[in-house]
């Protein structure tokens, strides 16, 4: 079984500041991990994914995440926040190595960016 | 590519009525997923199809919910009878075989359902 915990339902940063969104996972098998972003009234868009290759993963819009097995974490970061980054972010886990790939999502973190 | 298409985008109906949500996956994709998003429960997988066959429907909340995929380019999610607690945003997502190794799912814009 898989589960995801996103620490902090709301995160607020100033424009230009570091963005850090936290995600911890639980998985009985080696996981595949994902970050999705959801803008208001839209569907989810994939930001980046970890599928057992490099542990530091780079995604779109300068986001990146690092898979840390020892900490069971997959935190999302961006060096400098932009107003357009304001959205809801979801971390998701899937059992690696299977053809099903059922995604289990965290509860989401709403990112607010102040000017 | 038009992406995953869902209709309607918004649906308001009265309790007891039948509701049908529609999804057209990305052409060539052979896996289709229906999700429900609510404030209380977050994003939940309702049902998953592969090659038009339901593989996992363990997330379907009760018998009032049913889903079909008559062909590779169309799926429906039906609620009959609808109840106020069914109010949510329903997402459809699709995935192609070539994405199987990365499990990337492409989401539609969602249908916002309000049952009064």
């Amino acid at each position: 079984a898989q589960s995801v915990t996103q620490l902090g339902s709301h995160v607020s940063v100033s424009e230009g500041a570091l963005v850090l969104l936290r995600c911890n996972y639980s998985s009985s098998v080696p996981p595949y991990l994902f970050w999705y972003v959801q803008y208001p009234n839209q569907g989810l868009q994939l930001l980046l994914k970890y599928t057992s290759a490099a542990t530091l993963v780079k995604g779109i819009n300068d986001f990146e995440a690092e898979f840390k097995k020892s900490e069971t974490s997959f935190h999302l970061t961006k060096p400098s926040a932009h107003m357009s980054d304001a959205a809801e972010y979801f971390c998701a886990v899937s059992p690696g190595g299977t053809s099903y790939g059922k995604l289990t999502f965290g509860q989401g973190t709403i990112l607010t960016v102040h000017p | 590519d038009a992406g995953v298409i869902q209709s309607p985008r918004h649906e308001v109906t009265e309790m007891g009525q039948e509701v049908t949500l529609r999804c057209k996956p990305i052409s060539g994709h052979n896996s289709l997923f229906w999700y429900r998003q609510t404030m209380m429960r977050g994003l939940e997988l309702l049902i998953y199809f592969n090659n038009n066959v339901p593989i996992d429907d363990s997330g379907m909340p009760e018998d009032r919910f049913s889903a079909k995929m008559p062909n590779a380019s169309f799926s429906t999610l039906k609620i009959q009878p609808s109840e106020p607690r069914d109010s949510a945003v329903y997402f459809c997502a699709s995935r192609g075989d070539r994405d199987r190794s990365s499990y990337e799912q492409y989401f539609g814009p969602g249908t916002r359902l309000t049952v009064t």
Side-chain angles (χ1 to χ4, degrees):
Chain A
Q2 290 77 41
S3 67
V4 173
T5 300
Q6 291 183 238
L7 301 175
S9 58
H10 290 79
V11 171
S12 180
V13 300
S14 299
E15 191 174 19
L18 171 72
V19 175
L20 171 60
L21 305 182
R22 300 179 186 273
C23 172
N24 287 89
Y25 69 91
S26 172
S27 179
S28 56
V29 299
Y32 287 4
L33 294 156
F34 306 79
W35 276 100
Y36 281 84
V37 61
Q38 184 179 27
Y39 298 102
N41 300 315
Q42 294 187 27
L44 279 70
Q45 178 185 358
L46 183 68
L47 271 180
L48 50 79
K49 60 192 176 192
Y50 165 76
T51 56
S52 73
T55 56
L56 182 61
V57 181
K58 294 185 184 298
I60 61 173
N61 300 335
D62 296 326
F63 281 95
E64 64 180 36
E66 186 171 8
F67 172 67
K68 291 187 176 181
K69 183 179 179 180
S70 60
E71 299 177 8
T72 61
S73 69
F74 191 59
H75 302 330
L76 181 71
T77 61
K78 180 172 179 175
S80 177
H82 192 272
M83 297 295 289
S84 61
D85 295 326
E88 188 164 14
Y89 292 79
F90 293 90
C91 183
V93 64
S94 173
T98 71
S99 61
Y100 179 177
K102 175 179 178 177
L103 288 175
T104 300
F105 287 89
Q107 288 297 308
T109 298
I110 296 173
L111 175 66
T112 303
V113 182
H114 297 288
Chain B
D1 196 324
V4 176
I5 298 173
Q6 292 186 246
S7 65
R9 292 294 309 275
H10 301 274
E11 176 80 32
V12 180
T13 191
E14 292 184 348
M15 182 174 61
Q17 297 298 307
E18 177 180 296
V19 175
T20 299
L21 311 181
R22 297 173 175 79
C23 176
K24 177 178 169 56
I26 292 172
S27 177
H29 282 190
N30 65 335
S31 292
L32 185 139
F33 306 79
W34 280 102
Y35 291 89
R36 178 172 66 176
Q37 184 179 36
T38 62
M39 290 291 292
M40 291 298 294
R41 300 175 67 88
L43 268 164
E44 305 172 275
L45 176 66
L46 299 178
I47 188 169
Y48 156 60
F49 291 88
N50 183 254
N51 292 324
N52 312 335
V53 176
I55 303 299
D56 182 353
D57 64 355
S58 59
M60 295 286 265
E62 48 197 278
D63 291 345
R64 297 185 297 107
F65 285 69
S66 62
K68 295 182 179 179
M69 192 164 186
N71 57 62
S73 60
F74 184 66
S75 177
T76 60
L77 178 67
K78 185 176 293 186
I79 308 172
Q80 166 64 17
S82 59
E83 297 182 2
R85 61 194 169 114
D86 302 330
S87 297
V89 180
Y90 291 81
F91 289 102
C92 176
S94 71
R95 188 189 72 205
D97 268 345
R98 65 182 171 84
D99 295 316
R100 183 178 296 176
S101 63
S102 64
Y103 307 118
E104 180 170 351
Q105 297 179 20
Y106 297 81
F107 282 75
T111 295
R112 182 174 297 276
L113 173 65
T114 302
V115 183
T116 60

